[in-house]
Amino acid sequence: MNLERVSNEDKLELCRKYYLGGFALLPFLWLVNVVWFFREAFVAPPYGEQPLIRRYVRRSALGLGLWGVGLGAWVGVFQTQRAQWGPWGDYLAFTLPLGTP
């Protein structure tokens, strides 16, 4: 998408939609929001909607970071503790490794 062709009001609305969409357990939308609107928020010359876009981009980056930390923590716990959870850990696994843990 070429943001240069879009009005500032439409940029703000699109940025807001991607920000709110991230709360629907879609952190990929926050990543898209940060990548697409970073220049508009922090590099472009000032305009009226820019402070709100900047707020949404910062919050999207924060949400994405928290999701990353949470996912990394879950992966670490799951990889190290799955064998100790017995059958319940096996039910959570997509593929079961062969051999003895």
Side-chain angles (χ1 to χ4, degrees), residues 1-100:
M1 171 185 257
N2 188 357
L3 290 176
E4 294 173 359
R5 296 185 196 177
V6 180
S7 70
N8 292 336
E9 294 83 18
D10 290 341
K11 290 177 192 176
L12 176 60
E13 186 61 28
L14 184 61
C15 186
R16 181 179 172 275
K17 286 179 182 178
Y18 276 104
Y19 169 69
L20 294 175
F23 287 107
L25 301 178
L26 300 170
F28 180 72
L29 291 179
W30 283 333
L31 175 65
V32 170
N33 205 18
V34 171
V35 170
W36 274 6
F37 290 100
F38 184 83
R39 281 197 178 128
E40 288 295 322
F42 300 106
V43 178
Y47 55 93
E49 292 81 3
Q50 192 177 30
L52 286 173
I53 290 176
R54 186 176 293 143
R55 181 184 307 165
Y56 289 137
V57 169
R58 283 182 181 153
R59 290 180 180 181
S60 294
L62 177 65
L64 183 62
L66 290 175
W67 259 92
V69 167
L71 182 63
W74 166 249
V75 168
V77 167
F78 184 76
Q79 292 294 323
T80 59
Q81 304 298 319
R82 184 199 60 81
Q84 297 171 355
W85 293 344
W88 189 70
D90 291 340
Y91 293 134
L92 290 176
F94 184 70
T95 57
L96 296 177
L98 300 176
T100 307

